[in-house]
Amino acid sequence: MLRELNVEKITENISEMCIEANHYLTPDMEKVLKKSAVSEKSPLGKQILGQLQENLQIAGEEMIPICQDTGMTVIFMEVGQDVHFVGGNLEEAVNEGVRRGYTDGYLRKSVVRDPLIRENTKDNTPAILHTEIIPGDKVKITVAPKGFGSENMSRIFMLKPADGIEGVKEAILTAVMDAGPNACPPMVVGVGIGGTFEKCAILAKKALTRSVEEHSSIPYVRELEEEMLKKINGLGIGPGGLGGTTTALVVNINTWPTHIAGLPVAVNICCHVNRHAVRVV
């Protein structure tokens, strides 16, 4: 049986979620950041992690954005196949939600209409929207504002199958080393392995929204996540890029089937705030 859902409901939720994501960390991110301040070995690193937590407290209490770069809005939407949208166009409703959220929340508008002419749209639209059809009559919305200090440090590697898992490890470490302090560490590292050129990038981006307390259900991938976190934290980049034992808070890896001739790997890096909000409507 079809469930009618007015797109205004989508607009309202996305508007609220844009403000929420830019002012509050998710509980899992807040927890892992506090844990890192205890385990960090460098005195300077501990100091920086303490300052980051102070920043989070001020942001929440005074409704000031966690970071001045309030990002380009990336939205993952899992749409139940039994949902029938009414009252307007879904994509327009999504962008109206972003427009309201960034205007009403006094969030910085960072989107330009054309990549070369560079005229600001003045409302942070359009959003980057990824939709997926799933069973059921609910819509799961994930709003993930992505700042470009870390986004610019992300990489795609089109490896050969013969490169194997060691090639994947080298690609991940190369991306993180090249990013260094520019990605505002401690960072969250999202990795996509498989699919095609564009699919692995989406896998990596979506990996950033997975709870830091939830590892891959695939045993070898879970082991790879743990190994890469250890190796990344052994690079010595540290909080703020000033040295230490906490370069990354978590490494989340998603995999997908791929072609016999390919091994695409994408590394999408996010700074320590790793902003996202999730709701089901």
Side-chain angles (χ1 to χ4, degrees):
M1 185 174 179
L2 288 179
R3 171 199 175 201
E4 286 196 348
L5 181 60
N6 196 301
V7 294
E8 176 62 24
K9 192 74 174 174
I10 300 296
T11 296
E12 291 172 358
N13 276 278
I14 288 178
S15 173
E16 293 169 0
M17 293 166 77
C18 285
I19 296 172
E20 176 187 335
N22 273 294
H23 290 87
Y24 305 102
L25 281 195
T26 54
D28 61 305
M29 283 303 306
E30 192 169 1
K31 182 177 177 181
V32 75
L33 193 60
K34 287 179 179 177
K35 185 178 178 181
S36 71
V38 175
S39 61
E40 173 59 50
K41 299 294 190 293
S42 162
L44 180 56
K46 277 186 177 292
Q47 181 182 345
I48 292 169
L49 290 168
Q51 290 172 342
L52 294 178
Q53 291 186 74
E54 184 182 356
N55 176 69
L56 289 171
Q57 183 178 350
I58 294 170
E61 291 175 353
E62 300 188 18
M63 283 303 287
I64 300 170
I66 298 169
C67 175
Q68 52 83 24
D69 183 354
T70 53
M72 188 169 191
T73 311
V74 179
I75 296 173
F76 292 98
M77 190 175 293
E78 297 177 12
V79 181
Q81 63 185 12
D82 296 327
V83 173
H84 173 54
F85 291 108
V86 296
N89 177 280
L90 176 61
E91 190 160 353
E92 289 177 0
V94 166
N95 282 318
E96 177 60 23
V98 173
R99 181 177 296 110
R100 289 185 197 175
Y102 275 75
T103 301
D104 297 347
Y106 302 100
L107 303 172
R108 195 184 83 181
K109 288 80 174 175
S110 303
V111 176
V112 294
R113 194 175 308 281
D114 184 279
L116 296 178
I117 297 174
R118 315 297 291 182
E119 178 189 358
N120 198 298
T121 62
K122 296 182 173 59
D123 57 13
N124 224 57
T125 65
I128 305 295
L129 176 62
H130 302 287
T131 56
E132 179 183 356
I133 304 299
I134 61 171
D137 63 355
K138 300 288 192 298
V139 179
K140 181 180 179 181
I141 306 169
T142 302
V143 172
K146 190 66 164 64
F148 265 59
S150 57
E151 185 74 355
N152 286 339
M153 296 296 105
S154 301
R155 299 277 298 276
I156 287 183
F157 302 83
M158 301 304 291
L159 302 181
K160 300 178 181 66
D163 292 325
I165 196 165
E166 293 305 318
V168 172
K169 294 176 185 177
E170 183 180 349
I172 296 170
L173 287 176
T174 296
V176 172
M177 287 188 291
D178 288 350
N182 296 315
C184 299
M187 60 188 79
V188 175
V189 182
V191 180
I193 307 171
T196 54
F197 174 80
E198 81 283 6
K199 180 64 177 181
C200 69
I202 295 172
L203 289 171
K205 177 78 58 150
K206 195 167 186 180
L208 294 175
T209 68
R210 192 208 305 166
S211 170
V212 300
E213 298 174 330
E214 178 189 340
H215 285 291
S216 172
S217 60
I218 304 169
Y220 90 85
V221 178
R222 182 170 62 251
E223 291 172 7
L224 183 60
E225 290 174 338
E226 293 170 351
E227 179 183 348
M228 295 315 300
L229 179 61
K230 185 176 180 179
K231 287 185 174 179
I232 289 170
N233 284 334
L235 294 174
I237 296 169
L242 296 173
T245 55
T246 312
T247 297
L249 298 170
V250 68
V251 177
N252 284 345
I253 301 174
N254 287 333
T255 60
W256 193 262
T258 192
H259 190 276
I260 57 172
L263 179 55
V265 178
V267 182
N268 195 215
I269 296 173
C270 194
C271 64
H272 69 281
V273 296
N274 192 29
R275 292 163 296 193
H276 56 280
V278 182
R279 292 187 186 181
V280 177
V281 296

